[in-house]
Amino acid sequence: MRNEFEVVYTTSPTSEDIYGEILFDSQILCRLIKTDDEDEEVEIEFFFDQIVLEREAERRFPLTDFMNILQEVEGELIRWLKNINNAEEI
């Protein structure tokens, strides 16, 4: 199976939250959210209602692939936030 996951990193225009949106076959599956509070865990928000199947597409993939992308995005969000906080201290 080829890797069909994509990740888009972004920030919130209304808060200091940062997001990692996970897409599969170019459609959003979920968003990982990290707040500026270091004690807060990364949260996940699923987008079941925004999946549009213009063609027959199987929404099935190996669990380990999904878990790996979740861990990758979580780590990146935490690193990103630490870098932002360190830059603000300078």
Side-chain angles (χ1 to χ4, degrees), residues 13-50:
T14 58
S15 70
E16 295 182 4
D17 296 348
I18 56 176
Y19 305 122
E21 295 180 345
I22 299 175
L23 294 82
F24 181 79
D25 198 20
S26 300
Q27 296 184 49
I28 189 166
L29 284 179
C30 61
R31 174 186 293 157
L32 274 64
I33 305 157
K34 179 70 177 121
T35 65
D36 193 27
D37 185 351
E38 290 184 31
D39 296 331
E40 290 289 322
E41 292 188 34
V42 174
E43 296 181 330
I44 188 167
E45 176 181 9
F46 285 94
F47 292 91
F48 299 111
D49 58 339
Q50 295 192 17

